[in-house]
DNA sequence: TAGTATATCGAACATTTGTTCGATTTGTCA
DNA sequence: TGACAAATCGAACAAATGTTCGATATACTA
């Protein structure tokens, strides 16, 4: 029933999207005094899990929202001593630029496998963005949607599959770009 | 200077990780009365942008955090009428199970291209998870880290590349699994 | 065991914060 | 222009919230 303070704050923030109040922490942890809660939260501020804004109120710190970025695969995992230097990143701020225009689509079909886009992958797509040459787009062709490379060469525009077994598509009349793929997400 | 209320709440939430107070909204918007702020936020509650918890306090609603999930690529984009029925999802809750143990690694090298993992992709990895047969793992081999399939067949354990040009790795002594890859993220 | 430092408690207090409601303004339509 | 409805204002109020500080308990050291 009684939870460590940091654990409680972390899970509460994940479930409710906000930092719990002092008295909520009081009820959920083993502590029985608000002054203890204050002391403990001050320590969590020091550690970077939470922050205090200009009015002194608690807001989530980076360590509550972000994931640590290590280097490349070769570089591997840093030692505990180096841990402090690690950069962090939230998935949202990394992947999403225009939130209102961003949607998630599930990939089916193998027309982009050579581009590393597999059936079952999730595509983050942004509507209304102008497609540039080489972009991967969701296009409407013959009233059906498809994912392809958008190619624009010397005034000529066509769709190119990322799989040699598929043919390029040359639009007969209009070519309707529904959205531009900004990110691919695969979950194992 | 003066911002629409929803715009203000949205950007404030993105920057600070919490919903602004009524009086902060008052200062940032063109409204001059707290009662107007209350009326307007009640409308935003109706619309699903923010919610009220059991104590009546505002917390971010799903529409503030989540992205709409459309169906497959073929299904395409729903009409405005269907828009309300769409499922939503936050990237964090979709991708991250054990936040404390999750790190981001940048992929370099081409040893997994046939598995759709390209150089430059980001890998979400979880430390401490037990690798199962077929999992993609970050392994330490000869003091260097590498990304490979983890294969466990009849007591025999080895690492298999996801690219025919690379050879499998049979560990001579110990095989150290640093982390299990739980997700691949590619940003264009 | 006595002494000291540290951690926690408990209650009072000062602000902050959301709510309410009557007054005022703005917009709409005939 | 006048009448009505809707939107917004403004100030007072009640409840929630963070802070403070002396008292008490616990852990550690000599």
């Amino acid at each position: 029933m009684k939870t460590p303070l940091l654990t409680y704050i972390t899970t509460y923030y994940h479930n409710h999207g906000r930092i719990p109040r002092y008295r909520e922490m009081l009820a959920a942890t083993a502590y029985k005094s608000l002054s203890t809660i204050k002391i403990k939260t001050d320590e969590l501020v020091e550690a970077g899990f939470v922050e205090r804004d200009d009015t002194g109120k608690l807001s989530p710190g980076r360590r509550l929202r972000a994931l640590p970025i290590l280097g490349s695969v070769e570089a591997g995992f840093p030692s505990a001593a180096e841990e402090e230097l690690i950069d962090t990143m939230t998935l949202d701020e990394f992947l999403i630029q225009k939130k209102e225009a961003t949607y998630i689509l599930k990939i089916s079909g193998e027309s982009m496998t050579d581009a590393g886009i597999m059936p079952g992958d999730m595509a983050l797509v942004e509507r209304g963005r102008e497609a540039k040459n080489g972009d991967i787009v969701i296009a409407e062709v013959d009233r059906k949607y498809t994912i392809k490379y958008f190619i624009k060469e010397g005034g000529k525009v066509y769709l190119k599959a990322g799989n040699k077994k598929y043919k390029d598509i040359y639009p007969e009349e209009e070519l309707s770009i529904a959205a531009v793929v900004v990110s691919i997400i695969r979950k194992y």
Side-chain angles (χ1 to χ4, degrees), chain A residues 27-101:
Chain A
T29 63
Y31 299 117
K32 289 167 190 165
S33 171
L34 285 170
S35 51
T36 307
I37 297 292
K38 171 160 178 52
I39 289 171
K40 294 301 170 186
T41 52
D42 280 345
E43 290 172 8
L44 293 179
V45 169
E46 283 297 315
F49 288 102
V50 290
E51 293 168 359
R52 287 192 190 281
D53 57 26
D54 34 352
T55 70
K57 296 293 182 328
L58 292 177
S59 55
R62 281 201 69 80
R63 291 183 68 177
L64 218 55
R65 302 200 278 168
L67 294 174
I69 308 176
L70 311 186
S72 63
V73 170
E74 282 88 5
F77 289 85
S79 66
E82 301 165 313
E83 195 103 2
E84 290 300 320
L85 305 173
I86 294 174
D87 202 10
T88 62
M89 165 178 109
T90 72
L91 293 181
D92 281 3
E93 72 188 43
F94 177 60
L95 293 177
I96 305 171
Q97 284 183 24
K98 265 199 182 173
K99 183 168 175 310
E100 327 79 59

